[in-house]
Amino acid sequence: MSSTDAFAQYPSLKDRVVLITGGASGIGASMVEHFAAQGARVAFLDFDREGGPKVAERTGSLFLPCDLRDIAALRRSIAEVRARLGLVTVLVNNAARDDRHGWETVEPEYWDERMQTNLRHHFFCAQAVAPMMIEAGQGSIINLGSVSWMKAQGGMPAYTTAKAAIRGLTRGLARDLGPNRVRVNEVVPGWIFTERQLEKWATPESEADNMDRQCLKERLYPPDIARMVLWLAADDSRMVTAQHFVVDGGTV
Ligand SMILES: NC(=O)c1ccc[n+]([C@@H]2O[C@H](COP(=O)([O-])OP(=O)(O)OC[C@H]3O[C@@H](n4cnc5c(N)ncnc54)[C@H](O)[C@@H]3O)[C@@H](O)[C@H]2O)c1
């Protein structure tokens, strides 16, 4: 990152139990690092058995291997987080996969798998942690959306459909859980230069096109998202719920 490495410390995050999905790489790994640096007690679920242990070792966090498409496994993992760390009061629903697919070739099985990867586990993780948040008297759930559908981006209709649905999930759950002091918000990343993006999709042309559309003429990196997520998790945002926050350098 070209900006400062200094970032805010939130006293309310110290010792808080935080659960992050997809923490083994990319934006999720940065969030694990940022929450650990706040003194939070962090657990993350991911099916990457190579990357997960490295992030866990670097940050002193708890890595539980889990394929989030398997709801029974997800529920077992979250019960284990509770047993080992205590009541989860911050959930970041981050895991997803932006595989490209042509609209002509999509079959029902593929469509369903895309929903399982990009949408379904967000709800079931929230369902599993909400009772802990209610017991604790507070909670913050942060769902990761995407600007792709807002920009009418093509080439991955199942992904953009799932990501658009994150907005509805966020607002519906915010209404249901608000009386119990559980907040639900969405962070919407623009194009964030993770290893996967650099490896898979970044070309000089695509980057130049994106930079033309950004007001701020710099690349965005995972910490730019992690720092917005910290604020939404902390008590500093105590009356903020049912909202979405776009972090994209001002893309039109
Ligand atoms: N990078 C971007 O430009 C960008 C843009 C818009 C939105 N987002 C969103 O931000 C979030 C993080 O994206 P990223 O770029 O860091 O992605 P990434 O691919 O770098 O990391 C995603 C992580 O989720 C894990 N994961 C995926 N499917 C899983 C499953 N079924 N079970 C368990 N773990 C699984 C992966 O192993 C990986 O560690 C996603 O929700 C993504 O849609 C990213």
Side-chain angles (χ1 to χ4, degrees):
M1 279 178 79
S2 55
S3 58
T4 172
D5 277 340
F7 58 94
Q9 287 288 318
Y10 296 98
S12 60
L13 292 180
K14 189 165 186 316
D15 296 327
R16 204 161 273 190
V17 180
V18 176
L19 175 61
I20 298 168
T21 64
S25 68
I27 296 168
S30 181
M31 294 193 292
V32 173
E33 283 163 16
H34 278 76
F35 276 107
Q38 299 286 329
R41 308 174 72 205
V42 186
F44 65 99
L45 312 182
D46 203 300
F47 63 7
D48 177 355
R49 290 171 181 268
E50 273 180 35
K54 291 180 195 151
V55 175
E57 195 181 29
R58 201 165 70 229
T59 57
S61 51
L62 173 65
F63 165 55
L64 297 178
C66 175
D67 184 337
L68 293 154
R69 292 170 297 188
D70 178 345
I71 302 302
L74 172 165
R75 287 174 167 160
R76 276 195 304 275
S77 298
I78 293 178
E80 188 176 341
V81 173
R82 178 182 184 152
R84 291 174 66 173
L85 299 186
L87 296 179
V88 174
T89 55
V90 176
L91 166 68
V92 188
N93 276 318
N94 164 76
R97 204 165 197 93
D98 62 350
D99 288 350
R100 302 316 196 244
H101 45 275
W103 60 269
E104 314 91 324
T105 56
V106 169
E107 293 293 336
E109 295 73 23
Y110 181 76
W111 180 269
D112 290 347
E113 192 282 330
R114 293 290 76 204
M115 296 303 141
Q116 289 178 24
T117 293
N118 294 311
L119 179 62
R120 191 173 73 159
H121 60 84
H122 293 63
F123 172 77
F124 284 100
C125 283
Q127 186 195 53
V129 299
M132 292 190 250
M133 294 176 167
I134 292 167
E135 193 178 330
Q138 64 155 328
S140 177
I141 298 174
I142 299 135
N143 297 320
L144 272 283
S146 172
V147 288
S148 52
W149 65 272
M150 297 164 70
K151 298 194 295 191
Q153 189 172 334
M156 44 179 180
Y159 176 82
T160 46
T161 299
K163 284 292 174 180
I166 297 289
R167 183 79 39 94
L169 177 66
T170 299
R171 291 181 63 78
L173 282 181
R175 178 67 67 188
D176 286 340
L177 298 174
N180 293 107
R181 254 243 143 257
V182 177
R183 301 183 292 117
V184 190
N185 290 288
E186 177 193 5
V187 171
V188 185
W191 195 8
I192 314 301
F193 281 79
T194 58
E195 280 170 30
R196 176 174 158 86
Q197 295 299 312
L198 283 163
E199 188 187 307
K200 291 255 181 198
W201 324 120
T203 62
E205 297 74 34
S206 61
E207 190 173 358
D209 175 54
N210 191 64
M211 206 56 88
D212 273 351
R213 293 151 62 132
Q214 273 183 215
C215 297
L216 299 171
K217 304 296 181 187
E218 283 177 40
R219 281 181 171 185
L220 290 106
Y221 288 103
D224 295 313
I225 302 301
R227 291 168 195 188
M228 174 60 90
V229 169
L230 288 182
W231 179 74
L232 284 169
D235 290 352
D236 296 60
S237 58
R238 62 179 286 273
M239 291 306 287
V240 178
T241 194
Q243 304 305 314
H244 70 275
F245 296 85
V246 180
V247 182
D248 69 348
T251 306
V252 288

